[in-house]
mmCIF file of all heavy atoms in Angstrom:
data_model
loop_
_atom_site.group_PDB
_atom_site.id
_atom_site.type_symbol
_atom_site.label_atom_id
_atom_site.label_comp_id
_atom_site.label_asym_id
_atom_site.label_seq_id
_atom_site.Cartn_x
_atom_site.Cartn_y
_atom_site.Cartn_z
ATOM 1 N N LEU A 1227 -0.204 -5.685 0.311
ATOM 2 C CA LEU A 1227 0.889 -4.909 -0.259
ATOM 3 C C LEU A 1227 1.924 -5.776 -0.957
ATOM 4 O O LEU A 1227 2.623 -5.301 -1.855
ATOM 5 C CB LEU A 1227 1.554 -4.074 0.847
ATOM 6 C CG LEU A 1227 2.619 -3.061 0.419
ATOM 7 C CD1 LEU A 1227 2.073 -2.101 -0.640
ATOM 8 C CD2 LEU A 1227 3.133 -2.294 1.618
ATOM 9 N N ILE A 1228 2.029 -7.031 -0.582
ATOM 10 C CA ILE A 1228 3.002 -7.927 -1.201
ATOM 11 C C ILE A 1228 2.493 -8.477 -2.530
ATOM 12 O O ILE A 1228 3.274 -8.930 -3.367
ATOM 13 C CB ILE A 1228 3.341 -9.090 -0.237
ATOM 14 C CG1 ILE A 1228 3.959 -8.529 1.049
ATOM 15 C CG2 ILE A 1228 4.295 -10.084 -0.850
ATOM 16 C CD1 ILE A 1228 5.231 -7.734 0.832
ATOM 17 N N ASP A 1229 1.188 -8.421 -2.755
ATOM 18 C CA ASP A 1229 0.577 -9.019 -3.938
ATOM 19 C C ASP A 1229 0.367 -7.960 -5.017
ATOM 20 O O ASP A 1229 -0.429 -7.038 -4.846
ATOM 21 C CB ASP A 1229 -0.761 -9.670 -3.562
ATOM 22 C CG ASP A 1229 -1.461 -10.286 -4.762
ATOM 23 O OD1 ASP A 1229 -0.876 -11.166 -5.399
ATOM 24 O OD2 ASP A 1229 -2.585 -9.856 -5.065
ATOM 25 N N ALA A 1230 1.068 -8.086 -6.137
ATOM 26 C CA ALA A 1230 1.031 -7.073 -7.187
ATOM 27 C C ALA A 1230 -0.371 -6.874 -7.740
ATOM 28 O O ALA A 1230 -0.789 -5.735 -7.998
ATOM 29 C CB ALA A 1230 1.990 -7.459 -8.318
ATOM 30 N N ARG A 1231 -1.104 -7.960 -7.922
ATOM 31 C CA ARG A 1231 -2.425 -7.845 -8.539
ATOM 32 C C ARG A 1231 -3.401 -7.082 -7.660
ATOM 33 O O ARG A 1231 -4.132 -6.209 -8.130
ATOM 34 C CB ARG A 1231 -2.982 -9.240 -8.848
ATOM 35 C CG ARG A 1231 -4.334 -9.211 -9.553
ATOM 36 C CD ARG A 1231 -4.792 -10.615 -9.927
ATOM 37 N NE ARG A 1231 -3.858 -11.239 -10.857
ATOM 38 C CZ ARG A 1231 -4.015 -12.469 -11.340
ATOM 39 N NH1 ARG A 1231 -5.051 -13.202 -10.958
ATOM 40 N NH2 ARG A 1231 -3.136 -12.960 -12.192
ATOM 41 N N SER A 1232 -3.416 -7.396 -6.359
ATOM 42 C CA SER A 1232 -4.376 -6.729 -5.474
ATOM 43 C C SER A 1232 -4.025 -5.252 -5.302
ATOM 44 O O SER A 1232 -4.907 -4.409 -5.141
ATOM 45 C CB SER A 1232 -4.458 -7.426 -4.112
ATOM 46 O OG SER A 1232 -3.322 -7.164 -3.315
ATOM 47 N N VAL A 1233 -2.726 -4.910 -5.344
ATOM 48 C CA VAL A 1233 -2.317 -3.511 -5.245
ATOM 49 C C VAL A 1233 -2.685 -2.765 -6.521
ATOM 50 O O VAL A 1233 -3.237 -1.655 -6.476
ATOM 51 C CB VAL A 1233 -0.808 -3.410 -4.963
ATOM 52 C CG1 VAL A 1233 -0.327 -1.969 -5.084
ATOM 53 C CG2 VAL A 1233 -0.495 -3.942 -3.575
ATOM 54 N N ALA A 1234 -2.398 -3.360 -7.680
ATOM 55 C CA ALA A 1234 -2.713 -2.699 -8.951
ATOM 56 C C ALA A 1234 -4.201 -2.430 -9.097
ATOM 57 O O ALA A 1234 -4.607 -1.434 -9.708
ATOM 58 C CB ALA A 1234 -2.207 -3.562 -10.108
ATOM 59 N N ALA A 1235 -5.026 -3.299 -8.504
ATOM 60 C CA ALA A 1235 -6.478 -3.132 -8.614
ATOM 61 C C ALA A 1235 -6.974 -1.860 -7.931
ATOM 62 O O ALA A 1235 -8.068 -1.383 -8.230
ATOM 63 C CB ALA A 1235 -7.184 -4.345 -8.014
ATOM 64 N N GLN A 1236 -6.183 -1.308 -7.026
ATOM 65 C CA GLN A 1236 -6.612 -0.098 -6.307
ATOM 66 C C GLN A 1236 -6.387 1.170 -7.124
ATOM 67 O O GLN A 1236 -6.935 2.221 -6.797
ATOM 68 C CB GLN A 1236 -5.857 0.029 -4.973
ATOM 69 C CG GLN A 1236 -5.814 -1.235 -4.138
ATOM 70 C CD GLN A 1236 -7.177 -1.849 -3.898
ATOM 71 O OE1 GLN A 1236 -8.145 -1.151 -3.582
ATOM 72 N NE2 GLN A 1236 -7.268 -3.171 -4.033
ATOM 73 N N GLY A 1237 -5.587 1.102 -8.170
ATOM 74 C CA GLY A 1237 -5.298 2.289 -8.966
ATOM 75 C C GLY A 1237 -4.165 3.096 -8.363
ATOM 76 O O GLY A 1237 -3.434 2.636 -7.488
ATOM 77 N N ARG A 1238 -4.032 4.336 -8.825
ATOM 78 C CA ARG A 1238 -2.958 5.216 -8.360
ATOM 79 C C ARG A 1238 -3.506 6.298 -7.442
ATOM 80 O O ARG A 1238 -4.670 6.695 -7.553
ATOM 81 C CB ARG A 1238 -2.220 5.847 -9.530
ATOM 82 C CG ARG A 1238 -1.204 4.916 -10.187
ATOM 83 C CD ARG A 1238 -0.312 5.686 -11.122
ATOM 84 N NE ARG A 1238 0.797 4.859 -11.598
ATOM 85 C CZ ARG A 1238 1.742 5.309 -12.402
ATOM 86 N NH1 ARG A 1238 1.726 6.579 -12.804
ATOM 87 N NH2 ARG A 1238 2.712 4.509 -12.800
ATOM 88 N N PHE A 1239 -2.622 6.791 -6.582
ATOM 89 C CA PHE A 1239 -3.037 7.741 -5.549
ATOM 90 C C PHE A 1239 -2.103 8.947 -5.514
ATOM 91 O O PHE A 1239 -0.959 8.896 -5.967
ATOM 92 C CB PHE A 1239 -3.040 7.049 -4.177
ATOM 93 C CG PHE A 1239 -4.047 5.937 -4.069
ATOM 94 C CD1 PHE A 1239 -3.715 4.648 -4.471
ATOM 95 C CD2 PHE A 1239 -5.322 6.185 -3.589
ATOM 96 C CE1 PHE A 1239 -4.643 3.614 -4.390
ATOM 97 C CE2 PHE A 1239 -6.255 5.155 -3.508
ATOM 98 C CZ PHE A 1239 -5.914 3.873 -3.904
ATOM 99 N N ASP A 1240 -2.630 10.031 -4.933
ATOM 100 C CA ASP A 1240 -1.833 11.238 -4.733
ATOM 101 C C ASP A 1240 -1.134 11.220 -3.380
ATOM 102 O O ASP A 1240 -0.068 11.814 -3.227
ATOM 103 C CB ASP A 1240 -2.735 12.474 -4.832
ATOM 104 C CG ASP A 1240 -3.382 12.591 -6.206
ATOM 105 O OD1 ASP A 1240 -2.639 12.780 -7.183
ATOM 106 O OD2 ASP A 1240 -4.619 12.470 -6.296
ATOM 107 N N VAL A 1241 -1.740 10.559 -2.395
ATOM 108 C CA VAL A 1241 -1.159 10.446 -1.054
ATOM 109 C C VAL A 1241 -1.424 9.034 -0.548
ATOM 110 O O VAL A 1241 -2.536 8.514 -0.687
ATOM 111 C CB VAL A 1241 -1.778 11.463 -0.064
ATOM 112 C CG1 VAL A 1241 -1.044 11.395 1.279
ATOM 113 C CG2 VAL A 1241 -1.753 12.878 -0.620
ATOM 114 N N ILE A 1242 -0.386 8.414 0.019
ATOM 115 C CA ILE A 1242 -0.533 7.093 0.625
ATOM 116 C C ILE A 1242 -0.064 7.161 2.075
ATOM 117 O O ILE A 1242 1.035 7.641 2.357
ATOM 118 C CB ILE A 1242 0.277 6.019 -0.119
ATOM 119 C CG1 ILE A 1242 -0.212 5.869 -1.565
ATOM 120 C CG2 ILE A 1242 0.176 4.669 0.610
ATOM 121 C CD1 ILE A 1242 0.604 4.889 -2.395
ATOM 122 N N PHE A 1243 -0.903 6.681 2.979
ATOM 123 C CA PHE A 1243 -0.519 6.476 4.372
ATOM 124 C C PHE A 1243 -0.264 4.977 4.551
ATOM 125 O O PHE A 1243 -1.198 4.178 4.458
ATOM 126 C CB PHE A 1243 -1.628 6.930 5.324
ATOM 127 C CG PHE A 1243 -1.769 8.421 5.442
ATOM 128 C CD1 PHE A 1243 -2.503 9.146 4.510
ATOM 129 C CD2 PHE A 1243 -1.176 9.106 6.493
ATOM 130 C CE1 PHE A 1243 -2.636 10.518 4.607
ATOM 131 C CE2 PHE A 1243 -1.300 10.482 6.606
ATOM 132 C CZ PHE A 1243 -2.029 11.196 5.667
ATOM 133 N N CYS A 1244 0.988 4.616 4.781
ATOM 134 C CA CYS A 1244 1.345 3.217 5.035
ATOM 135 C C CYS A 1244 2.191 3.213 6.295
ATOM 136 O O CYS A 1244 3.420 3.190 6.254
ATOM 137 C CB CYS A 1244 2.108 2.636 3.849
ATOM 138 S SG CYS A 1244 2.528 0.892 4.048
ATOM 139 N N ARG A 1245 1.522 3.204 7.420
ATOM 140 C CA ARG A 1245 2.207 3.441 8.693
ATOM 141 C C ARG A 1245 2.300 2.164 9.529
ATOM 142 O O ARG A 1245 1.319 1.444 9.683
ATOM 143 C CB ARG A 1245 1.479 4.535 9.472
ATOM 144 C CG ARG A 1245 1.372 5.826 8.647
ATOM 145 C CD ARG A 1245 0.936 7.014 9.446
ATOM 146 N NE ARG A 1245 -0.447 6.957 9.878
ATOM 147 C CZ ARG A 1245 -1.125 8.024 10.337
ATOM 148 N NH1 ARG A 1245 -0.540 9.203 10.405
ATOM 149 N NH2 ARG A 1245 -2.378 7.902 10.730
ATOM 150 N N ASN A 1246 3.518 1.931 10.041
ATOM 151 C CA ASN A 1246 3.759 0.840 10.996
ATOM 152 C C ASN A 1246 3.447 -0.536 10.412
ATOM 153 O O ASN A 1246 2.949 -1.414 11.110
ATOM 154 C CB ASN A 1246 2.956 1.076 12.280
ATOM 155 C CG ASN A 1246 3.245 2.437 12.878
ATOM 156 O OD1 ASN A 1246 4.396 2.809 13.050
ATOM 157 N ND2 ASN A 1246 2.198 3.203 13.163
ATOM 158 N N LEU A 1247 3.748 -0.714 9.135
ATOM 159 C CA LEU A 1247 3.638 -2.025 8.495
ATOM 160 C C LEU A 1247 5.013 -2.566 8.141
ATOM 161 O O LEU A 1247 5.308 -3.734 8.397
ATOM 162 C CB LEU A 1247 2.782 -1.927 7.232
ATOM 163 C CG LEU A 1247 2.685 -3.209 6.386
ATOM 164 C CD1 LEU A 1247 2.007 -4.326 7.182
ATOM 165 C CD2 LEU A 1247 1.931 -2.957 5.082
ATOM 166 N N LEU A 1248 5.876 -1.732 7.585
ATOM 167 C CA LEU A 1248 7.167 -2.197 7.099
ATOM 168 C C LEU A 1248 8.064 -2.695 8.225
ATOM 169 O O LEU A 1248 8.999 -3.465 7.973
ATOM 170 C CB LEU A 1248 7.878 -1.071 6.331
ATOM 171 C CG LEU A 1248 7.111 -0.497 5.132
ATOM 172 C CD1 LEU A 1248 7.964 0.540 4.415
ATOM 173 C CD2 LEU A 1248 6.682 -1.596 4.172
ATOM 174 N N ILE A 1249 7.790 -2.297 9.462
ATOM 175 C CA ILE A 1249 8.606 -2.767 10.588
ATOM 176 C C ILE A 1249 8.447 -4.270 10.809
ATOM 177 O O ILE A 1249 9.293 -4.886 11.467
ATOM 178 C CB ILE A 1249 8.266 -2.008 11.893
ATOM 179 C CG1 ILE A 1249 6.765 -2.121 12.211
ATOM 180 C CG2 ILE A 1249 8.704 -0.563 11.816
ATOM 181 C CD1 ILE A 1249 6.375 -1.474 13.539
ATOM 182 N N TYR A 1250 7.404 -4.876 10.257
ATOM 183 C CA TYR A 1250 7.182 -6.313 10.423
ATOM 184 C C TYR A 1250 7.766 -7.120 9.263
ATOM 185 O O TYR A 1250 7.647 -8.345 9.247
ATOM 186 C CB TYR A 1250 5.687 -6.608 10.549
ATOM 187 C CG TYR A 1250 5.067 -5.938 11.748
ATOM 188 C CD1 TYR A 1250 4.283 -4.800 11.615
ATOM 189 C CD2 TYR A 1250 5.290 -6.427 13.035
ATOM 190 C CE1 TYR A 1250 3.716 -4.172 12.719
ATOM 191 C CE2 TYR A 1250 4.742 -5.811 14.151
ATOM 192 C CZ TYR A 1250 3.958 -4.677 13.982
ATOM 193 O OH TYR A 1250 3.409 -4.055 15.085
#
């Protein structure tokens, strides 16, 4: 998630589940 290139490679989404990561 911190790396722009690896995130952009996934494309765009309608729903994202990003649970219990930002607390770290």
Side-chain angles (χ1 to χ4, degrees):
L1227 187 55
I1228 299 301
D1229 179 59
R1231 183 176 298 180
S1232 74
V1233 171
Q1236 312 308 316
R1238 281 192 171 182
F1239 296 87
D1240 298 295
V1241 185
I1242 298 176
F1243 286 83
C1244 182
R1245 304 192 290 195
N1246 305 310
L1247 175 63
L1248 302 184
I1249 56 176
Y1250 299 104

